[in-house]
Amino acid sequence: MCILLTSCLGDLDLQPIDPDVTTSRSAYNSPEAYKQGLAKLYASFILTGQQGPAGNSDITTSDEGNSSFLRQMWNMEELTTDEAVWSYPNDFGGTIFNLHYHSWLPTDGIGAFAYARIMNSVVLANEYIRATAGSSDPDLQLYNTEARFIRALSYFYGLNLFGKMPFVTEANLPGAFLPEEIIRTDLFEYIESELLAIQDEMGEPKFEYGRADKAACSMLLAKLYLNAEVYLGAGNERYTQAITELNKVITGPYSLAPNYLNNFLADNNTSPELIFSFNSDGRYSQSYSAVWTIIKGNAGNGGFSGLRTTSALVGKFAPTDPRAHFLKEDVGQSLEIEAVNNTKQGYGVNKFRNVTSTGQIPDDGTDFIDTDYPLFRLGDAYLMYAEAVLRGGTGGDINTAVGYINQLRNRSGDPAIGNITSGQLTLDFILDERARELYWEGHRRTDLIRFGQFTGDTYLWPWKGGVSEGIASEPFRSLFPIPADDRALNPNLTQNAGYPGGN
């Protein structure tokens, strides 16, 4: 909240006397400067400050690298599930294991970092939207639209992780104030309305790699609609709307990468499958974000072996499934995890790599990586389409869905896994197939919640609930708590039910 208050002190009507003080009025003095400002909005998801990889953070933190937006989103989506385990108990003030154990609290650092990063991206977008509003320049009009998408994407993560958030837009003029809270249903409607309003004004698919376009907007809308019953309550399904948006994506200029691995390499910018990504460059955009941690901190990648996966994920693969080849059993790792802090227990995952499709290590002279994070890709769109059809959405059909799944399972560059039939395409199959296709891509917590298997005892995995065999966790943990420090600063914020002070 301190970031929200200080970041709002920007584009005032009065110009500062000190010529060294920069405002949006003085910063945006050329077309190039406006595009650089737009780049900063995109960078807020993966970089952490004004110099890489650390040293001038956008938020107040004692560990800038750990505070990355993408890293915290990944931690909350993956370390809370059967897909990922972290070894080092002292991280985040000794609270990192709370994610595995489903015992997190409002005082834990990971939730606080994620919350601050979401609002930082929102505030930066608001400032930029104000600076570009009303322009007759076509480029600036497009930049303004992209900034609105970035703000909607930021609020989407707030909706998904915390349910309710402080709410500010460009209409809230700069100055110190305590934002009002927006509840989950209203936040859903705001995000939906923003995306629908800007969709036709966004760039055509693939107009420039790394920038959000119409296909990215459709993917975000489809994710909003696929999870609508989670966000709005049972009976508020939007599966037909999800199919409508997915059809726009699937009929676009995308195709499956000939080889599954090509989506996760240092030249994955050449993959025909990626729809929208958070981009990395080992020389020019350095950070200790999620992709760096996935590659450098992963058992089996020659890193520091902090990350592994559980036997629950390994057990979902058939021995002939080529996607399982990246679960590393040949580096001295045991399958079962008897102690979460033992780096030799649990297979490593060698899926993301800082090497090109031709086997070359990027020659940028640094320890950082060039591998982009594939936020949206066509393989996910195929799986979402099949699920929405199975859940009763119209505008699609089961035979088409089966065809999409079989394309995924039999990529031309991989050994064939084998076709499924329409009788085998069930919701249980889809959940497991999403794990096999999308593991470590930041989807698992959301998927398990949508399928009713994140909390409770319907599905148990190693160390869920804090014991090796797994036990039930409380239903309220489908949402994270509002950070304690933010509530202390802003009395307008209320706590989520189940947590201390919740209602």
Side-chain angles (χ1 to χ4, degrees):
M1 188 56 60
C2 289
I3 285 303
L4 184 60
L5 296 177
T6 57
S7 296
C8 283
L9 301 174
D11 189 12
L12 301 177
D13 290 335
L14 298 176
Q15 287 292 297
I17 296 174
D18 186 346
D20 293 328
V21 173
T22 300
T23 69
S24 60
R25 183 177 299 177
S26 58
Y28 298 129
N29 54 13
S30 69
E32 294 78 13
Y34 277 104
K35 193 166 187 181
Q36 290 166 353
L38 179 67
K40 171 65 179 179
L41 303 189
Y42 284 104
S44 69
F45 293 119
I46 198 163
L47 302 184
T48 54
Q50 300 304 308
Q51 68 182 53
N56 190 3
S57 178
D58 287 332
I59 69 171
T60 302
T61 171
S62 60
D63 190 343
E64 183 180 335
N66 251 338
S67 76
S68 158
F69 184 114
L70 180 57
R71 186 164 175 176
Q72 296 320 311
M73 183 274 285
W74 194 92
N75 284 340
M76 297 164 87
E77 281 289 324
E78 295 289 356
L79 297 183
T80 58
T81 75
D82 54 351
E83 289 194 352
V85 174
W86 182 253
S87 297
Y88 306 119
N90 293 328
D91 281 12
F92 293 97
T95 63
I96 186 77
F97 285 5
N98 290 355
L99 294 181
H100 305 315
Y101 300 161
H102 283 208
S103 59
W104 49 80
L105 296 169
T107 52
D108 287 3
I110 287 180
F113 279 153
Y115 198 83
R117 286 292 178 187
I118 289 169
M119 293 311 301
N120 179 62
S121 293
V122 167
V123 167
L124 290 174
N126 285 341
E127 179 76 7
Y128 190 85
I129 291 165
R130 274 194 297 269
T132 53
S135 173
S136 59
D137 185 294
D139 287 338
L140 296 191
Q141 290 174 353
L142 181 58
Y143 297 168
N144 181 276
T145 300
E146 290 176 64
R148 290 173 67 182
F149 173 87
I150 288 168
R151 180 176 62 189
L153 179 62
S154 302
Y155 270 134
F156 172 79
Y157 284 114
L159 172 83
N160 191 41
L161 296 170
F162 299 100
K164 50 193 177 184
M165 296 294 294
F167 187 64
V168 286
T169 71
E170 76 279 11
N172 298 107
L173 297 179
F177 66 97
L178 298 175
E180 296 294 329
E181 180 177 83
I182 185 170
I183 62 174
R184 201 175 204 185
T185 53
D186 291 346
L187 186 53
F188 177 100
E189 292 175 359
Y190 170 77
I191 296 168
E192 179 188 26
S193 65
E194 276 288 280
L195 295 174
L196 291 174
I198 65 175
Q199 188 174 40
D200 290 343
E201 307 304 320
M202 299 195 75
E204 294 299 322
K206 289 194 170 186
F207 80 102
E208 184 175 335
Y209 179 78
R211 288 173 66 182
D213 54 30
K214 290 178 180 177
C217 190
S218 285
M219 279 294 286
L220 185 54
L221 274 166
K223 288 191 172 294
L224 193 70
Y225 291 141
L226 193 66
N227 293 284
E229 287 196 286
V230 174
Y231 303 146
L232 301 176
N236 291 283
E237 69 278 352
R238 299 285 192 278
Y239 303 117
T240 295
Q241 292 92 325
I243 292 172
T244 297
E245 297 302 326
L246 291 166
N247 280 331
K248 296 176 186 177
V249 173
I250 292 169
T251 57
Y254 303 98
S255 59
L256 296 181
N259 190 303
Y260 177 75
L261 185 61
N262 289 357
N263 293 306
F264 315 105
L265 300 178
D267 58 351
N268 59 350
N269 59 297
T270 64
S271 170
E273 188 171 340
L274 268 60
I275 296 167
F276 182 56
S277 58
F278 293 154
N279 295 349
S280 297
D281 185 291
R283 188 182 301 276
Y284 298 111
S285 59
Q286 300 175 357
S287 77
Y288 300 103
S289 192
V291 187
W292 186 92
T293 310
I294 290 169
I295 294 174
K296 297 291 186 178
N298 174 27
N301 263 10
F304 48 88
S305 300
L307 283 172
R308 301 96 68 219
T309 193
T310 75
S311 58
L313 177 63
V314 177
K316 296 186 186 304
F317 290 89
T320 57
D321 192 328
R323 297 169 298 189
H325 296 171
F326 314 119
L327 307 176
K328 302 290 287 186
E329 61 176 316
D330 58 348
V331 290
Q333 298 291 130
S334 65
L335 173 62
E336 299 296 339
I337 300 174
E338 298 179 2
V340 175
N341 64 353
N342 189 328
T343 61
K344 292 296 184 182
Q345 295 177 355
Y347 286 177
V349 175
N350 199 20
K351 175 174 167 176
F352 287 82
R353 306 178 188 182
N354 190 37
V355 62
T356 69
S357 53
T358 60
Q360 301 299 308
I361 298 175
D363 183 21
D364 52 29
T366 76
D367 188 44
F368 294 92
I369 53 93
D370 286 8
T371 308
D372 300 334
Y373 186 85
L375 193 73
F376 301 146
R377 63 181 178 91
L378 184 62
D380 187 13
Y382 282 175
L383 287 160
M384 292 168 65
Y385 176 98
E387 181 182 340
V389 168
L390 285 172
R391 292 186 183 275
T394 60
D397 66 88
I398 195 71
N399 291 329
T400 302
V402 170
Y404 289 154
I405 299 303
N406 286 334
Q407 286 184 51
L408 277 181
R409 293 168 61 82
N410 299 288
R411 290 170 185 260
S412 59
D414 295 327
I417 304 171
N419 289 337
I420 65 165
T421 66
S422 58
Q424 294 172 296
L425 186 60
T426 65
L427 286 175
D428 286 341
F429 172 87
I430 286 292
L431 180 59
D432 285 348
E433 191 70 5
R434 286 188 66 81
R436 289 185 286 261
E437 177 69 22
L438 301 169
Y439 65 97
W440 280 37
E441 295 181 51
H443 302 285
R444 187 60 170 167
R445 168 190 164 272
T446 300
D447 290 347
L448 289 173
I449 291 171
R450 189 171 65 255
F451 282 80
Q453 297 188 22
F454 182 65
T455 60
D457 60 3
T458 303
Y459 175 47
L460 302 178
W461 59 84
W463 295 102
K464 178 182 179 179
V467 300
S468 60
E469 66 273 19
I471 59 173
S473 57
E474 304 97 332
F476 69 81
R477 295 199 179 273
S478 291
L479 281 174
F480 286 96
I482 307 303
D485 285 348
D486 289 87
R487 291 193 64 221
L489 284 167
N490 185 356
N492 296 325
L493 303 180
T494 60
Q495 187 55 272
N496 284 321
Y499 296 103
N503 51 33

